[in-house]
Every structure is written in C-alpha cells, then in structure tokens.
Amino acid sequence: MLKFYTYNTINGQAIAIALSEMGINHQTIEVDLLKGENRSSEFLKLNPSGRIPVVVDEHGGESTVVSQVGAILIYLAERSGQFIPAKPKERAQVLEWLFFQLTDISVNVFNNFYLKSLVKPNHPEAANVLKQRAISFYQVFDSQLQQHEYVAGDELSIADFASFPVVRRLSESADINSLPNLLRWYQQLTSRPAIKSIYKNT
Ligand SMILES: N[C@@H](CCC(=O)N[C@@H](CS)C(=O)NCC(=O)O)C(=O)O
C-alpha cells in the first residue's frame, strides 16, 4: 500500500490528482501544516526539508520514499506506466512542460503567496511582480494549448496534473480570463471524474 502524506495545497493537490487519475490504491495521511506536524521528528525522517507532499511506497519488501512534486509525479507515472510516454522525444516534451510549470510558474505563485500572506510585514508589490511573471508564462501555455489539447501535446500527462491546481488557484481571481485556450483546457480537466473527486468537498 502506498502512503500519501499531504495537506490541501496546490502541491498536495497535484499528487492527489495523479493518484486518482492513475487509479493507484493508497492511504492519505494528512500532515497539518498549520499545527506544524511537518516539523515532527517522524515526518522529518521522511523529508528533511519538512514539506509535503511525500509518498512512501511499500512493495516488493522495500520502502520507496519520494518527495518533490516533480519526482513524485515521474515515479508514479513510471510505476503505473501511464501519463508519461516511453519514447524519448515525447517523454522529453512532457518533462519540459512539467518543469516549466514547477520551476518557473509554481515557484512564483508560491512566493507570491509567501510575500503577500505569510511573512510579516507583507510585501504586496513584490508579490504582485511574481504573480504577473507566472501569468506571463501562462501566455506560453495558452499558445501551446491553441495547437494541442493538453499541456505537453495531444496526450494527457503528468504535466497537466502539475499545472491544474495552480491554474485553478489563479482562475479564482480572474487572473487568467485573457487566456482563452488555457481556460478551455482548465474547463476540460475540471469535468474529468478523477479531478472532480479531488475537489468534491471544496
Ligand atoms: N518544491 C517542493 C515544494 C513543497 C512545498 O512547498 N510544500 C509546502 C506546501 S505546498 C509545505 O509543505 N510547506 C511547509 C513549510 O515549508 O514549512 C515540492 O515540489 O514538493
């Protein structure tokens, strides 16, 4: 059984979507970040940086512990043989879009939240610069999605799973209304049963 340590954040949601889409049987263990459960000695043994998400996969007599959204998504895709192509060229495309999302966009969206809400005093102007940078990268996604059904091409992939929770967050404040192809993709994914099941209580 795979154990999924998470909290309801965009990084946690990306893995929840992947597990749901891949149909991987798992146990979800909430790590309450507000109560500091991610700083317990037990959790720090799994991820010394004290952050969710983490998966612990027990099979074949050994434990595989993985943190970092990108690493977990690749691990799960390889484990299930889904949502990552086998051919090097198509695979490289998926990894390119996956890391574009994670390193250029997710980081800016998180740092926007950090500067706007978590640090005292807040830095709203700097926060906004980072958000605008993330949105400007989504213009590149928008052009890609004008030509392709999904983020990395014509097949649904782990790049879509990493992107969906971030676009969902930005869509709440009308920040992506000028990106029609990204909106089309977002609405299309929203109607998928596996994704609906992740957000059913929100
Ligand atoms: N680069 C990391 C980011 C993980 C991350 O920022 N996790 C946040 C929640 S979304 C967290 O656990 N924060 C708690 C903390 O930093 O104390 C990844 O890809 O997993």
Side-chain angles (χ1 to χ4, degrees), residues 1-7 16 19 26-31:
M1 170 75 90
L2 183 144
K3 288 182 182 157
F4 170 39
Y5 293 82
T6 190
Y7 196 60
L19 287 166
H26 64 278
Q27 177 191 359
T28 299
I29 299 159
E30 188 186 76
V31 180

Side-chain angles (χ1 to χ4, degrees), residues 115-169:
L115 291 174
K116 193 180 63 180
S117 310
L118 297 184
V119 283
K120 301 282 178 259
N122 301 155
H123 300 278
E125 281 177 26
N128 196 41
V129 168
L130 297 182
K131 183 162 86 174
Q132 292 314 318
R133 188 163 162 79
I135 292 170
S136 76
F137 287 139
Y138 273 138
Q139 281 160 7
V140 181
F141 273 60
D142 194 67
S143 302
Q144 165 82 345
L145 289 165
Q146 188 171 22
Q147 293 166 48
H148 298 283
E149 190 166 359
Y150 298 109
V151 163
D154 295 320
E155 302 287 335
L156 184 66
S157 76
I158 52 175
D160 296 284
F161 304 155
S163 306
F164 184 85
V166 186
V167 174
R168 182 174 182 272
R169 167 78 59 83

